[in-house]
Amino acid sequence: MKLTLHIWRQKDAQDKGGMVRYEVDGVSEHSSFLEMLDVLNDGLIEKGQDPVAFDSDCREGICGMCSLVINGRPHGPWTATTVCQLHMRAYRDGDTIYIEPWRAKSFPVLKDLIVDRSSFDRIQQAGGYVSVNTGNAVDANCLPIGKPAADQAFDAAHCIGCGACVAACKNASAMLFVSAKVGQFAVLPQGQTERKERVLSMVEQMDKEGFGNCTNQYECEAACPKEISADFMRMMNLDYFKSSATTS
Amino acid sequence: MTLDSKVPSGPLADKWDKHRFDLKLVNPANKRKFRVLIVGSGLAGASAAASLAELGYDVDCFCYQDSPRRAHSIAAQGGINASKNYQNDGDSDFRLFYDTIKGGDFRSREANVYRLAQVSTHIIDQCVAQGVPFAREYGGTLANRSFGGVLVSRTFYARGATGQQLLLGAYGALNRQIHAGKVTMHNRCEMLDLVLVDGHARGIITRDMVTGKIERWAGDAVVLGTGGYGNIFFLSTNAVGCNVTASFRAYKRGAYMANPCFTQIHPTCIPVAGEHQSKLTLMSESLRNDGRIWVPKKKKDTRPAPSIPEDERDYYLERIYPTFGNLVPRDIASRAAKNVCDDGYGIGMSGLGVYLDFADAIQRLGRDVISQRYGNLFDMYERITGEDPYKVPMRIYPASHYTMGGLWVDYNLMSNIPGLHVIGEANFSDHGANRLGASALMQGLADGYFVLPYTIGNYFATEHQEQVTTDHPAFGEVEAEVKGQIDRLLAVKGKRTPASFHKELGKLMWDHCGMSRNAKGLEQVLQRIPELRQEFWENVSVTGAGMELNQCLERAGRVADFLEFGEVMAHDALGRGESCGAHLREEYVSEDGEAKRDDDNYCYVAAWEYQGDGKEPALHKEELVFENVELTTRSYK
Ligand SMILES: Cc1cc2nc3c(=O)[nH]c(=O)nc-3n(C[C@H](O)[C@H](O)[C@H](O)COP(=O)(O)OP(=O)(O)OC[C@H]3O[C@@H](n4cnc5c(N)ncnc54)[C@H](O)[C@@H]3O)c2cc1C
Ligand code: FES
């Protein structure tokens, strides 16, 4: 099929950037979306022109590296799917596609479609762990954990840290991302000792990074490729208020 | 130089304990004076960085992704082994050890593998303490499943995302140390060379992938946890960024490359769909627990799978290997798939595919149970192929997946270059000629959490080195070479993309140094690679500049290294005149087509030493000594 692409090009963080139009032909419906961009880039490189920079690594929906907004939707049209798993059979011959980077103050664009998500790492560093040194563990089965709690913890822990939740939110809030880690540990016995400090310091770091406030639109939940539930945000809010009440 | 494996003396089961006692310790107050440069933030790198920092060392950690959490370990699906014997089915350290040695077709080091089995149980304890949400039974205890090549159930898992959960556990431990100021993390920062001072590994040269700045880092030891080189085949289950650069540059600085031809081709991957395909997707081996593999009994049968009656299907693994059936090791399952396809029984458009069918299991256990076990894999399959595996069997074909070969290390995980340690998939150590499923995660975490933290201290305590800074002339020399290579790449201004060279190399390696090999094909590889390399340096198009974010340049640098490394692999495959594990030489097969080992002549680790560009590498042998197992012909029948 033949497609018209409008792609955000921006030389570096300082550049103003703008949309550039490209035509691609002979795209197979079996290709993935990123493979379609590979073909575009191969053509550009052969002509000695700068290829479009975009992030990707695993290309199977788990590393969280890929990050494109397609026709206004983070990760494109398919639900519960990262853009690297999106396949071209989602499109028709003659379609026009707009491709942009994640847009958020806390995710500055580095080049073209690549953004800086180090703010996410800093939030995790603020408390997204159980403080246990290597070698300090008891036998794993000494700590029975009911299957429902283990399953719920997994549902939260499955977050891939891609940032689609932030990109989808009109306030660029990172609540879903933060609540996924807070929620994982809130439902597990291992997480109880540091439960209060964790939620307080992670939320504090989130605010410091300049992410917006949540106004309960749940666009984040809809955009999340791993279908992290907004229930974790409600849980985190409750935890946060309880913790700030008891520690101040 | 002689290769001293430094395996301690004494009975197998006591070696590690004894060795830990014999290792010299660093005074706790002095540990902060040692700086360790860890390249890689996968299971191996992250677990090592966190554990060393906890002990008090100063750590700098590097990765090429934008966050340590995205290292390729994140993609591991199926599970991690440990000899817990929670299922009471007769597992033990010795059984895990034996299965791994036998699975590797008797080409790994006994003492290393036994230690791996011993520490495997601590890994599970550690990960649970970190809050890793492993699958559990209703009673709250941990659940297990089976993997290929074994008859016990010892694999721990977290749905189909075990690697993700283990890596996020290690990432948490790493984050805690970053927060504490003990680890400095350098993301989007690619190691391009190793710096030696007085023969010891004392630093690295990196390129900041955002600004393009070339930087020097000095330390008291360098640790490579940079993963495998499966992308030499271009198409593989690895992430697109996986590469051999760090290991290969260390090789060019004198580190020995061991058994590079031992590459694992995984039997259950989604077949190639088109010429623009950039990677292949694994369907976890755990699926072979419940899925049955078959092809039609009639050649080129184009009927849809469900309309082929039961008696017209050949469940060839169950037929040829009645004891292990669908759970034979990977090398055997892959070769069997290749053989039926080569004989004309393959399915799908290309004829390069076999069925993996869940109909029986769904009938027996119900859709819900299957979805609980493999739901995300089924979803992934459907997204890629547009077919629903609950209704039609999956189509699968082997693909490059893992590399058993890697930099040579001794029992302390140190290479032949003093101070250069290699952990995880990047080293050669534990899997011999074939790796069993769910054992790479185990090895990566064993190396990082439970082995290196002890052994590296012994290096610091026994081999005292002067302080060096990045002002030492050795840094300037290596930096100049790195810059020179970048300038050369940018100066070619040819017509072909780096990817097109990578694809051509990949196809060459797949055809002649993949699932089966012969001398003629390997000689062809050795003739063709230098030609391809010459064309690369005359006609590659690398756009943009060095001092900016430049993915074309990153790619070109990696392809340039693969273009040299391929030759080392081919030399190794040609030099090994036997078949063992994943290395099948067509000249050496038994009457029933199985790999025929030659223990009299090839019971060694082949460690290759760089001799200069365009020169054949020199071979060093580490003879393998088996004191605790008998070398038998591997049989899964
Ligand atoms: C799809 C898939 C599924 C798998 N499933 C399983 C499974 O179920 N069970 C199992 O046991 N094993 C499995 N494996 C194998 C296993 O995942 C890997 O062998 C293991 O995770 C490798 O870990 P590692 O830490 O050695 O390397 P990696 O996780 O690959 O990490 C490499 C690190 O090195 C960094 N790096 C590399 N080069 C450079 C450089 N030049 N400069 C700076 N940084 C660099 C990267 O950024 C990264 O941080 C699977 C593999 C694949 C591909
Ligand atoms: S590239 Fe890894 S999630 Fe898309």
Side-chain angles (χ1 to χ4, degrees):
Chain A
M1 57 184 125
K2 204 171 160 171
L3 302 165
T4 303
L5 308 176
H6 294 267
I7 303 180
W8 182 261
R9 300 298 311 254
Q10 178 175 338
K11 214 178 147 22
D12 52 32
Q14 284 72 46
D15 185 24
K16 234 176 84 228
M19 299 299 277
V20 176
R21 181 190 160 114
Y22 298 91
E23 308 285 337
V24 284
D25 202 352
V27 177
S28 153
E29 60 161 13
H30 297 298
S31 290
S32 72
F33 194 87
L34 298 186
E35 284 160 3
M36 183 273 293
L37 290 181
D38 289 343
V39 174
L40 168 74
N41 276 344
D42 284 349
L44 292 172
I45 296 171
E46 277 163 10
K47 284 185 270 179
Q49 295 170 16
D50 243 2
V52 179
F54 63 91
D55 266 332
S56 80
D57 204 25
C58 75
R59 297 208 174 182
E60 57 182 71
I62 192 73
C63 74
M65 193 99 178
C66 62
S67 44
L68 305 179
V69 176
I70 302 173
N71 292 340
R73 292 188 59 172
H75 289 309
W78 288 358
T79 52
T81 305
T82 54
V83 63
C84 61
Q85 292 186 296
L86 174 63
H87 274 64
M88 291 313 289
R89 59 176 182 277
Y91 297 92
R92 298 277 156 268
D93 188 39
D95 277 357
T96 297
I97 306 176
Y98 290 81
I99 309 172
E100 292 168 87
W102 282 177
R103 302 247 184 232
K105 191 175 87 200
S106 311
F107 289 162
V109 173
L110 295 173
K111 179 173 184 171
D112 297 343
L113 302 169
I114 297 183
V115 298
D116 176 355
R117 287 172 286 195
S118 52
S119 48
F120 264 19
D121 278 335
R122 287 188 293 272
I123 295 174
Q124 295 294 339
Q125 287 156 17
Y129 37 78
V130 173
S131 297
V132 52
N133 280 0
T134 306
N136 280 277
V138 294
D139 183 87
N141 263 350
C142 288
L143 189 70
I145 298 171
K147 186 166 159 45
D151 284 349
Q152 201 188 1
F154 180 94
D155 290 341
H158 202 32
C159 166
I160 59 174
C162 62
C165 46
V166 174
C169 174
K170 68 178 169 55
N171 307 322
S173 162
M175 280 284 281
L176 190 63
F177 168 75
V178 180
S179 73
K181 192 46 71 182
V182 168
Q184 174 193 348
F185 292 131
V187 300
L188 289 175
Q190 299 94 310
Q192 299 313 311
T193 315
E194 296 164 293
R195 185 168 175 172
K196 284 182 193 162
E197 298 78 26
R198 178 177 305 112
V199 66
L200 293 176
S201 29
M202 288 182 80
V203 169
E204 185 188 327
Q205 188 65 34
M206 171 180 87
D207 292 341
K208 240 192 248 168
E209 297 291 346
F211 289 101
N213 289 321
C214 172
T215 50
N216 300 319
Q217 312 280 316
Y218 303 129
E219 292 291 343
C220 52
E221 190 185 38
C224 176
K226 296 296 152 187
E227 302 184 292
I228 308 289
S229 162
D231 290 347
F232 290 113
M233 299 201 291
R234 287 185 277 269
M235 266 172 64
M236 179 169 91
N237 275 331
L238 207 65
D239 242 20
Y240 182 78
F241 288 116
K242 275 203 235 157
S243 303
S244 25
T246 49
T247 42
S248 55
Chain B
M1 173 169 170
T2 52
L3 280 173
D4 180 2
S5 66
K6 306 230 170 68
V7 169
S9 57
L12 185 64
D14 301 339
K15 283 184 197 287
W16 179 231
D17 263 357
K18 174 176 179 298
H19 191 62
R20 275 191 299 172
F21 180 73
D22 291 341
L23 289 172
K24 298 277 174 299
L25 299 176
V26 178
N27 177 338
N30 285 339
K31 283 192 178 135
R32 67 187 160 74
K33 296 183 189 151
F34 291 96
R35 174 170 298 272
V36 187
L37 307 177
I38 300 183
V39 189
S41 65
L43 285 179
S47 59
S51 303
L52 290 173
E54 286 163 12
L55 287 172
Y57 296 109
D58 255 340
V59 176
D60 280 280
C61 185
F62 302 80
C63 73
Y64 72 73
Q65 294 90 347
D66 71 333
S67 163
R69 69 179 291 154
R70 306 202 203 284
H72 176 57
S73 295
I74 201 90
Q77 303 170 348
I80 175 167
N81 288 331
S83 54
K84 281 283 194 188
N85 194 29
Y86 281 163
Q87 304 306 321
N88 197 29
D89 54 1
D91 204 2
S92 62
D93 290 351
F94 197 87
R95 188 179 292 281
L96 174 52
F97 154 77
Y98 184 75
D99 287 343
T100 308
I101 286 270
K102 175 185 169 198
D105 216 358
F106 305 95
R107 289 293 174 267
S108 38
R109 215 185 260 151
E110 275 193 343
N112 282 59
V113 178
Y114 196 85
R115 173 177 66 190
L116 179 63
Q118 282 176 308
V119 304
S120 69
T121 55
H122 303 305
I123 296 171
I124 303 303
D125 299 340
Q126 184 64 31
C127 295
V128 166
Q130 291 169 345
V132 169
F134 283 119
R136 289 182 181 259
E137 307 291 353
Y138 280 97
T141 53
L142 290 157
N144 288 118
R145 61 184 171 204
S146 312
F147 254 60
V150 306
L151 296 172
V152 292
S153 196
R154 65 159 75 99
T155 304
F156 295 78
Y157 63 100
R159 263 176 243 174
T162 316
Q164 182 200 24
Q165 294 310 315
L166 296 174
L167 184 61
L168 293 182
Y171 167 73
L174 175 64
N175 279 335
R176 179 167 159 246
Q177 296 306 316
I178 295 173
H179 193 61
K182 290 301 292 177
V183 177
T184 311
M185 188 68 219
H186 309 275
N187 302 329
R188 293 198 197 268
C189 189
E190 185 162 30
M191 166 182 166
L192 291 182
D193 220 327
L194 177 72
V195 181
L196 269 55
V197 175
D198 300 329
H200 286 246
R202 297 306 301 272
I204 61 172
I205 304 292
T206 61
R207 178 172 180 274
D208 180 320
M209 295 160 77
V210 177
T211 63
K213 189 166 171 228
I214 303 295
E215 285 170 289
R216 311 170 178 190
W217 307 90
D220 298 283
V222 176
V223 179
L224 299 186
T226 44
Y229 51 84
N231 274 351
I232 178 96
F233 296 106
F234 181 70
L235 283 179
S236 88
T237 63
N238 289 10
V240 290
C242 290
N243 65 88
V244 76
T245 291
S247 297
F248 192 71
R249 299 298 172 95
Y251 162 79
K252 289 185 89 168
R253 298 279 164 208
Y256 294 173
M257 188 64 77
N259 299 336
C261 83
F262 288 170
T263 52
Q264 178 159 79
I265 311 297
H266 195 295
T268 54
C269 305
I270 302 178
V272 178
E275 56 166 329
H276 298 307
Q277 189 136 359
S278 58
K279 79 153 280 164
L280 293 170
T281 302
L282 175 77
M283 287 287 108
S284 166
E285 171 166 323
S286 59
L287 293 168
R288 288 200 271 144
N289 267 304
D290 289 307
R292 298 179 68 197
I293 294 180
W294 62 276
V295 289
K297 280 189 182 161
K298 208 170 82 197
K299 285 189 186 178
K300 304 207 171 16
D301 193 336
T302 50
R303 285 175 291 173
S307 58
I308 299 180
E310 200 55 30
D311 62 350
E312 291 178 40
R313 301 175 175 192
D314 179 14
Y315 294 91
Y316 58 88
L317 288 178
E318 298 170 26
R319 173 171 58 80
I320 310 175
Y321 306 100
T323 305
F324 281 72
N326 293 297
L327 286 175
V328 291
R330 292 175 176 175
D331 53 336
I332 291 180
S334 290
R335 228 150 30 225
K338 179 181 189 301
N339 291 342
V340 292
C341 293
D342 288 353
D343 291 344
Y345 298 99
I347 52 101
M349 293 283 276
S350 61
L352 295 177
V354 301
Y355 289 124
L356 176 61
D357 198 338
F358 293 89
D360 278 1
I362 292 174
Q363 206 169 31
R364 185 163 35 96
L365 303 164
R367 189 189 156 113
D368 282 356
V369 172
I370 294 300
S371 143
Q372 269 280 331
R373 286 188 193 162
Y374 313 111
N376 64 337
L377 298 173
F378 277 40
D379 293 348
M380 194 195 279
Y381 182 85
E382 182 169 4
R383 239 174 254 127
I384 293 172
T385 62
E387 296 165 5
D388 178 359
Y390 291 103
K391 299 204 178 101
V392 294
M394 288 184 175
R395 292 174 294 110
I396 52 159
Y397 195 70
S400 158
H401 176 63
Y402 180 87
T403 53
M404 284 75 70
L407 291 174
W408 184 88
V409 288
D410 63 17
Y411 189 70
N412 294 321
L413 303 179
M414 188 157 88
S415 72
N416 58 302
I417 297 179
L420 178 68
H421 296 74
V422 191
I423 56 178
E425 192 173 337
N427 73 24
F428 90 103
S429 67
D430 297 352
H431 307 293
N434 172 58
R435 176 175 72 78
L436 290 182
S439 57
L441 302 183
M442 169 173 73
Q443 182 226 328
L445 290 180
D447 289 359
Y449 283 137
F450 296 111
V451 180
L452 187 74
Y454 301 110
T455 57
I456 205 169
N458 184 65
Y459 169 72
F460 293 137
T462 55
E463 303 216 28
H464 181 74
Q465 297 297 305
E466 297 301 316
Q467 280 282 340
V468 292
T469 67
T470 53
D471 295 331
H472 190 284
F475 282 86
E477 285 161 26
V478 179
E479 185 189 85
E481 285 181 41
V482 166
K483 287 183 170 164
Q485 160 117 337
I486 290 174
D487 292 342
R488 277 211 299 151
L489 283 168
L490 289 164
V492 180
K493 297 202 185 307
K495 292 268 173 288
R496 273 185 73 176
T497 64
S500 77
F501 285 99
H502 194 177
K503 278 185 200 176
E504 192 173 340
L505 172 71
K507 174 139 189 354
L508 186 70
M509 298 304 287
W510 179 253
D511 288 345
H512 302 295
C513 198
M515 266 189 286
S516 83
R517 300 138 180 208
N518 60 49
K520 199 165 139 250
L522 291 166
E523 273 153 15
Q524 227 170 303
V525 170
L526 288 172
Q527 191 202 333
R528 180 68 192 126
I529 289 184
E531 295 166 5
L532 194 59
R533 199 163 53 225
Q534 187 178 351
E535 193 193 340
F536 175 88
W537 284 104
E538 284 165 3
N539 195 25
V540 71
S541 169
V542 184
T543 57
M547 294 301 282
E548 63 178 8
L549 197 162
N550 186 341
Q551 292 181 315
C552 189
L553 176 65
E554 292 162 18
R555 182 73 180 268
R558 293 172 191 164
V559 174
D561 289 333
F562 275 132
L563 276 169
E564 292 184 46
F565 176 68
E567 261 181 303
V568 189
M569 249 175 92
H571 276 299
D572 188 40
L574 189 60
R576 192 169 278 279
E578 64 163 351
S579 294
C580 57
H583 169 66
L584 187 100
R585 281 283 300 270
E586 288 157 15
E587 301 94 323
Y588 311 100
V589 290
S590 65
E591 271 159 25
D592 50 359
E594 304 288 347
K596 201 159 109 195
R597 271 195 346 254
D598 176 354
D599 293 329
D600 291 338
N601 295 302
Y602 294 98
C603 197
Y604 60 72
V605 176
W608 297 91
E609 183 187 9
Y610 176 69
Q611 299 288 304
D613 285 338
K615 296 215 180 88
E616 198 171 314
L619 173 65
H620 302 270
K621 296 178 187 174
E622 179 198 333
E623 296 294 338
L624 291 167
V625 186
F626 292 90
E627 293 170 342
N628 300 277
V629 301
E630 199 190 327
L631 296 179
T632 54
T633 301
R634 231 171 28 141
S635 169
Y636 293 93
K637 294 192 165 156

